[in-house]
Amino acid sequence: MALLNINFLSQSLCRITTVQMFIPNDLNPEERRENLHYNRPLKVLYLLHGYSGNYTDWIQGTAICNLAKKYNFAVVCPSGDNSFYFDQEMTGGKYRTFVGEELPSYISKVFGFSSRREDTFIGGLSMGGFGAVCTALKYPETFSKAIGFSSAFVINEILMNGKRVTSTETNQAFQDHIYGPLEKLKKSEKNPAALLSGLLEKGKPVPDLYLACGTEDYLLENNREFRDFLKLHNVPLVYVEFPGEHNWDFWNRALEPAVKWMMEG
């Protein structure tokens, strides 16, 4: 197996950024022969960290490397800072372009991985779950499936209240910077509902979605609300709830069923 830290100059972020990767490239012949997932090309899963996290979180905090060996896929974990994986107008602020366009192109070119839509997936937790869903809806020609764990679908709260009044982690100045003018937010590409509506209106393919949230998670109602919106528009969706909070214990328990759906579905 290969665990890599890659530093490269991102044109979208206007700086050198770090990506961590895991590649299950040295299983012994017996392991490969008995595993049907090795009868096909390697797939690629991009995993996005949450608010206050970084590119090491998924590989250090979960069993994702063991699952990558079991299901034959590479894991790519980029740096998203606290951006919510939005594109901002400021120089160096194109995080969605980086994750959805520049990074897959770079990884495919440098490592020779498949760039086919059916071999390319994205997922994330909390801020990263929101970012994964939005990125997949922005780039449906790149990602065929997206997973969101405890996703931060707080945008409707902001639209209704002008701020996320329940937040203890971000102040109004941060939210103003991240989400921009309230009057433009509803129809902007920062709103997953607007992204989805655009795909449906144009008759473009919509990525399959998998959402999981703990029943004790403070983001549960936000996830249920987005689930209902997706069902209303007949979007392919697997939605899972079970006891758990907004923490690594829940995300670890939710991980393999989601990966199995992604790799075998």
Side-chain angles (χ1 to χ4, degrees):
M1 288 72 69
L3 179 60
L4 310 173
N5 279 354
I6 304 163
N7 298 303
F8 73 98
L9 177 61
S10 164
Q11 300 301 315
S12 305
L13 304 180
C14 298
R15 66 177 181 274
I16 292 175
T17 188
T18 303
V19 175
Q20 190 165 77
M21 288 182 59
F22 178 83
I23 309 171
N25 59 350
D26 60 355
L27 271 69
N28 66 53
E30 285 301 315
E31 290 178 297
R32 293 173 63 93
R33 186 160 35 248
E34 296 175 3
N35 189 330
L36 295 178
H37 295 286
Y38 285 85
N39 294 337
R40 55 155 173 81
L42 184 80
K43 296 181 183 289
V44 185
L45 172 59
Y46 294 83
L47 282 177
L48 310 184
H49 64 77
Y51 180 84
S52 76
N54 70 15
Y55 62 92
T56 67
D57 286 358
W58 277 104
I59 288 175
Q60 289 187 355
T62 72
I64 192 62
C65 293
N66 286 333
L67 294 175
K69 291 188 290 184
K70 181 176 180 179
Y71 292 96
N72 187 29
F73 63 93
V75 181
V76 183
C77 301
S79 305
D81 301 314
N82 289 333
S83 66
F84 276 76
Y85 302 93
F86 288 146
D87 273 358
Q88 303 289 12
E89 292 184 6
M90 64 184 186
T91 300
K94 304 283 191 235
Y95 284 90
R96 184 170 296 166
T97 300
F98 171 66
V99 171
E101 188 174 329
E102 183 180 14
L103 183 59
S105 175
Y106 178 88
I107 294 297
S108 177
K109 179 175 64 176
V110 172
F111 292 92
F113 296 159
S114 171
S115 60
R116 298 190 309 163
R117 180 178 187 267
E118 56 267 36
D119 294 332
T120 309
F121 314 120
I122 191 168
L125 62 88
S126 195
M127 178 189 81
F130 175 84
V133 170
C134 288
T135 302
L137 293 174
K138 171 64 177 175
Y139 295 98
E141 70 282 357
T142 300
F143 303 102
S144 60
K145 295 182 179 180
I147 294 173
F149 299 107
S150 309
S151 303
F153 295 120
V154 300
I155 194 164
N156 281 340
E157 287 187 48
I158 295 169
L159 287 169
M160 288 189 298
N161 302 319
K163 60 181 179 179
R164 183 159 187 250
V165 293
T166 57
S167 176
T168 59
E169 297 180 335
T170 64
N171 61 19
Q172 188 66 47
F174 174 84
Q175 292 173 22
D176 289 345
H177 165 69
I178 289 294
Y179 292 99
L182 186 62
E183 63 272 15
K184 297 181 179 180
L185 182 57
K186 185 174 183 179
K187 295 183 179 180
S188 79
E189 291 190 344
K190 295 180 178 182
N191 185 354
L195 288 167
L196 175 61
S197 297
L199 292 181
L200 295 175
E201 288 171 6
K202 297 173 183 176
K204 291 188 175 181
V206 177
D208 292 344
L209 301 177
Y210 185 112
L211 303 178
C213 194
T215 52
E216 288 71 48
D217 195 310
Y218 67 92
L219 291 171
L220 179 61
E221 291 306 318
N222 301 106
N223 278 262
R224 286 176 172 174
E225 185 178 56
F226 191 65
R227 171 203 64 189
D228 294 344
F229 175 81
L230 293 172
K231 286 185 175 181
L232 180 65
H233 290 83
N234 298 313
V235 173
L237 172 68
V238 175
Y239 181 82
V240 177
E241 285 183 11
F242 58 86
E245 300 179 11
H246 197 82
N247 57 30
W248 288 104
D249 177 66
F250 175 82
W251 300 324
N252 262 306
R253 287 185 288 135
L255 188 55
E256 183 161 10
V259 167
K260 182 179 174 67
W261 166 84
M262 183 169 272
M263 298 298 162
E264 294 186 344

Short mmCIF file of all heavy atoms in Angstrom, two decimals, residues 21 31 58 87 95 102 117 119 141 166 223 232 263:
data_model
loop_
_atom_site.label_atom_id
_atom_site.label_comp_id
_atom_site.label_asym_id
_atom_site.label_seq_id
_atom_site.Cartn_x
_atom_site.Cartn_y
_atom_site.Cartn_z
N MET A 21 -3.03 10.90 0.00
CA MET A 21 -3.60 9.82 -0.79
C MET A 21 -3.24 8.46 -0.20
O MET A 21 -2.17 8.29 0.38
CB MET A 21 -3.08 9.86 -2.24
CG MET A 21 -3.61 10.98 -3.07
SD MET A 21 -2.94 10.87 -4.76
CE MET A 21 -3.52 9.24 -5.25
N GLU A 31 -4.65 -12.41 -2.13
CA GLU A 31 -5.68 -11.45 -1.73
C GLU A 31 -6.42 -10.91 -2.95
O GLU A 31 -7.64 -10.76 -2.95
CB GLU A 31 -5.07 -10.30 -0.94
CG GLU A 31 -4.58 -10.65 0.44
CD GLU A 31 -3.95 -9.47 1.13
OE1 GLU A 31 -2.91 -8.97 0.63
OE2 GLU A 31 -4.48 -9.03 2.16
N TRP A 58 -9.45 11.95 7.44
CA TRP A 58 -10.09 10.71 7.04
C TRP A 58 -9.16 9.51 7.20
O TRP A 58 -9.57 8.45 7.69
CB TRP A 58 -10.55 10.80 5.58
CG TRP A 58 -11.87 11.47 5.43
CD1 TRP A 58 -12.12 12.73 4.99
CD2 TRP A 58 -13.15 10.88 5.71
NE1 TRP A 58 -13.47 12.98 4.99
CE2 TRP A 58 -14.13 11.86 5.42
CE3 TRP A 58 -13.56 9.64 6.18
CZ2 TRP A 58 -15.50 11.63 5.59
CZ3 TRP A 58 -14.92 9.40 6.34
CH2 TRP A 58 -15.87 10.39 6.05
N ASP A 87 -16.69 28.41 -4.23
CA ASP A 87 -15.87 29.32 -5.02
C ASP A 87 -16.18 30.74 -4.57
O ASP A 87 -17.34 31.17 -4.64
CB ASP A 87 -16.18 29.19 -6.51
CG ASP A 87 -15.38 28.10 -7.20
OD1 ASP A 87 -14.54 27.45 -6.53
OD2 ASP A 87 -15.60 27.88 -8.40
N TYR A 95 -12.32 27.05 -4.23
CA TYR A 95 -12.22 25.72 -3.63
C TYR A 95 -13.05 24.67 -4.38
O TYR A 95 -12.64 23.52 -4.51
CB TYR A 95 -12.65 25.77 -2.16
CG TYR A 95 -11.61 26.38 -1.26
CD1 TYR A 95 -11.60 27.76 -1.02
CD2 TYR A 95 -10.63 25.61 -0.65
CE1 TYR A 95 -10.65 28.34 -0.20
CE2 TYR A 95 -9.67 26.17 0.17
CZ TYR A 95 -9.69 27.54 0.39
OH TYR A 95 -8.73 28.11 1.20
N GLU A 102 -9.91 20.89 -10.97
CA GLU A 102 -8.45 20.86 -11.04
C GLU A 102 -7.86 19.60 -10.42
O GLU A 102 -6.97 18.96 -11.02
CB GLU A 102 -7.87 22.10 -10.35
CG GLU A 102 -6.35 22.18 -10.45
CD GLU A 102 -5.77 23.41 -9.77
OE1 GLU A 102 -6.49 24.07 -9.00
OE2 GLU A 102 -4.58 23.69 -10.00
N ARG A 117 -16.56 8.86 -15.40
CA ARG A 117 -17.56 9.26 -14.39
C ARG A 117 -17.91 8.08 -13.48
O ARG A 117 -18.03 8.24 -12.26
CB ARG A 117 -18.81 9.78 -15.11
CG ARG A 117 -19.94 10.21 -14.20
CD ARG A 117 -21.10 10.75 -15.03
NE ARG A 117 -22.13 11.31 -14.18
CZ ARG A 117 -23.17 10.62 -13.72
NH1 ARG A 117 -23.32 9.34 -14.07
NH2 ARG A 117 -24.07 11.20 -12.94
N ASP A 119 -16.21 5.72 -12.48
CA ASP A 119 -15.10 5.31 -11.61
C ASP A 119 -14.70 6.40 -10.61
O ASP A 119 -13.74 6.22 -9.86
CB ASP A 119 -13.87 4.96 -12.45
CG ASP A 119 -14.09 3.73 -13.31
OD1 ASP A 119 -14.90 2.87 -12.92
OD2 ASP A 119 -13.45 3.63 -14.37
N GLU A 141 -20.74 15.54 -14.54
CA GLU A 141 -20.03 14.80 -15.59
C GLU A 141 -18.75 14.18 -15.05
O GLU A 141 -18.16 13.31 -15.70
CB GLU A 141 -19.70 15.74 -16.76
CG GLU A 141 -18.65 16.79 -16.47
CD GLU A 141 -19.15 17.98 -15.66
OE1 GLU A 141 -20.35 18.05 -15.35
OE2 GLU A 141 -18.32 18.87 -15.35
N THR A 166 -28.19 29.18 15.52
CA THR A 166 -27.84 28.11 16.44
C THR A 166 -26.34 27.82 16.47
O THR A 166 -25.89 26.99 17.23
CB THR A 166 -28.57 26.82 16.06
OG1 THR A 166 -28.25 26.48 14.71
CG2 THR A 166 -30.08 27.00 16.18
N ASN A 223 -30.64 17.68 7.61
CA ASN A 223 -30.50 16.55 6.70
C ASN A 223 -31.87 16.00 6.28
O ASN A 223 -32.07 15.65 5.11
CB ASN A 223 -29.65 15.46 7.33
CG ASN A 223 -28.16 15.73 7.19
OD1 ASN A 223 -27.50 15.21 6.30
ND2 ASN A 223 -27.63 16.56 8.06
N LEU A 232 -38.86 14.85 -3.20
CA LEU A 232 -39.87 15.61 -3.92
C LEU A 232 -39.52 15.71 -5.40
O LEU A 232 -40.41 15.71 -6.26
CB LEU A 232 -40.00 17.01 -3.32
CG LEU A 232 -41.02 17.96 -3.95
CD1 LEU A 232 -42.44 17.41 -3.73
CD2 LEU A 232 -40.91 19.35 -3.35
N MET A 263 -19.30 1.35 -4.22
CA MET A 263 -18.43 0.51 -5.03
C MET A 263 -19.16 -0.66 -5.68
O MET A 263 -18.71 -1.19 -6.70
CB MET A 263 -17.27 -0.01 -4.19
CG MET A 263 -16.38 1.08 -3.65
SD MET A 263 -15.58 2.03 -4.97
CE MET A 263 -15.08 3.52 -4.07
#
